[in-house]
Amino acid sequence: MFDLPIEVTKTYTKSENIRKHWHTQFPSEREVSVQTEQGHMARLRVSFSAYSGELRPGRDTNPVFTQNVRGGCAYVRTTASASWARFGWSVRNPSAPAACHSQGDNGDAGFTQLFQSNWLGLGLRITSPSPLGLQNGIYTGTLTYSLGGAGKDIDFGDDVIVSDDSLTFRFEFTVAHELKVTRADHADRIVLQPDRGWPSWFDHGGSASPLRGEMTLLLSSSAPFSLSLQCQYMVDTQCALRSDRDGTDVPLSTSVTFPGIQAMDTKAPAIRYPLTHHRRYPFENVEGYVANRPSRVHFEVSSNATPIMAKQPGSLWRGDVTLVFDSQL
């Protein structure tokens, strides 16, 4: 609800003709296009939902000094003094409103007087498409209504003078999709080990078996995003771990599990979804929005590579792996 410095001067007559009453006919719901500088577009639906004002002079013959509001509006509140009367009405059917009108509870039929409103309060109902389906950006657009008597978009009835012949609304809203990734375990180091732990591995003579580790993330996302992998060391298209003894590298496979997320290109669920270096992977939300969704990054040295590592007992194998999340595809 906002107030506008629009003056309406009307010769009110108490009669059977509702256009002689304090009369306001709002237009039906309209659409307005809004778009960003990049050309992304959306359509809003706009209608009038509330109406208020102040009429002078006051006295009990003031046409809004009544609870008996008729037509397309419903009474909300009225206050008055000897010099003014203020009213607040709600619009019964904003999508297709009927004319709102009222006349004072007092005064004989044919009573006539000049009344003036120095400002108007208007409430808008704005319906937008789901922001989950919109691109990031600042969306702007304008919508203009004509003001006056018969034939105008906002029709104040007969015997009326309006200070402005048009009213323009400028709409602006910002879409800023959320993409937030935090490490649930606050770990900055992942330790790889056999599935059953090192004691079992030694008990079985250090047999070839994969080494695995995981990092837990909390993912919040309201729009598609991309993910890329950066490696300190590489073997082909995979990241690698390097020996501190002789610089030997072994491949380290990296995959991700994002519940409720799927790959945009293949529509495959993001469950142990493999990542390789030098690629951007676009993902989208199957559920529209996820908030603090527990997710995982899986790391593995295959059983083919562990014998190479076992030939260097006491050595340290390490390497940095960086995941880059981007909300702009």
Side-chain angles (χ1 to χ4, degrees):
M1 192 77 182
F2 47 88
D3 296 335
L4 301 172
I6 295 175
E7 297 181 2
V8 179
T9 303
K10 181 181 178 70
T11 301
Y12 157 71
T13 301
K14 189 165 186 176
S15 69
E16 295 299 322
N17 184 353
I18 67 171
R19 296 186 60 81
K20 302 288 187 179
H21 301 176
W22 185 257
H23 172 288
T24 308
Q25 169 74 66
F26 292 110
S28 298
E29 184 177 75
R30 293 186 177 178
E31 285 194 344
V32 56
S33 294
V34 291
Q35 68 177 45
T36 67
E37 291 183 352
Q38 294 75 29
H40 303 308
M41 184 176 293
R43 296 191 68 81
L44 308 179
R45 298 197 305 274
V46 181
S47 57
F48 292 88
S49 61
Y51 180 33
S52 65
E54 178 185 275
L55 269 64
R56 293 175 178 268
R59 297 200 295 270
D60 55 6
T61 55
N62 188 298
V64 300
F65 188 57
T66 178
Q67 295 185 20
N68 187 20
V69 181
R70 301 176 182 178
C73 286
Y75 171 84
V76 176
R77 189 175 181 185
T78 298
T79 59
S81 74
S83 59
W84 52 261
R86 295 174 183 167
F87 69 96
W89 300 345
S90 63
V91 179
R92 298 179 190 274
N93 181 15
S95 297
C100 306
H101 59 96
S102 69
Q103 54 184 346
D105 296 332
N106 298 306
D108 297 329
F111 169 81
T112 297
Q113 187 169 350
L114 189 70
F115 287 92
Q116 184 177 39
S117 174
N118 293 326
W119 56 268
L120 293 177
L122 297 176
L124 295 184
R125 184 180 71 176
I126 302 172
T127 305
S128 70
S130 170
L132 297 178
L134 299 178
Q135 299 290 327
N136 282 348
I138 300 174
Y139 291 75
T140 60
T142 59
L143 184 59
T144 299
Y145 297 90
S146 60
L147 306 176
K152 301 299 183 179
D153 295 328
I154 301 179
D155 175 9
F156 294 99
D158 295 341
D159 307 318
V160 68
I161 299 174
V162 185
S163 61
D164 296 278
D165 60 7
S166 66
L167 172 61
T168 298
F169 293 106
R170 182 179 186 272
F171 300 93
E172 177 180 313
F173 68 93
T174 301
V175 175
H177 287 292
E178 180 182 20
L179 177 60
K180 181 180 180 182
V181 182
T182 56
R183 285 183 289 194
D185 50 16
H186 303 289
D188 58 1
R189 193 168 72 102
I190 307 300
V191 177
L192 307 184
Q193 59 183 346
D195 291 340
R196 296 183 179 180
W198 289 112
S200 176
W201 186 82
F202 285 117
D203 290 344
H204 291 81
S207 60
S209 63
L211 305 180
R212 297 189 177 99
E214 286 188 347
M215 179 173 63
T216 303
L217 304 175
L218 295 178
L219 173 66
S220 296
S221 175
S222 62
F225 63 90
S226 65
L227 178 60
S228 57
L229 183 67
Q230 297 179 358
C231 309
Q232 182 182 13
Y233 310 119
M234 291 181 55
V235 172
D236 297 327
T237 61
Q238 290 186 321
C239 292
L241 299 181
R242 176 165 293 180
S243 170
D244 66 344
R245 181 169 299 180
D246 63 0
T248 299
D249 292 335
V250 294
L252 174 72
S253 65
T254 306
S255 60
V256 292
T257 294
F258 301 142
I261 305 291
Q262 68 181 13
M264 291 184 65
D265 49 359
T266 64
K267 304 303 180 184
I271 300 176
R272 292 191 174 274
Y273 197 89
L275 306 178
T276 58
H277 190 62
H278 291 314
R279 277 197 60 186
R280 293 183 75 191
Y281 296 87
F283 292 96
E284 61 185 351
N285 305 352
V286 179
E287 303 172 7
Y289 176 70
V290 295
N292 290 322
R293 183 67 56 85
S295 305
R296 287 181 170 78
V297 185
H298 312 278
F299 302 99
E300 180 177 327
V301 175
S302 72
S303 57
N304 294 328
T306 51
I308 299 174
M309 303 173 71
K311 291 179 181 179
Q312 299 186 25
S315 59
L316 177 64
W317 299 74
R318 58 187 173 187
D320 293 340
V321 177
T322 303
L323 297 177
V324 180
F325 292 80
D326 193 343
S327 60
Q328 300 294 331
L329 294 178

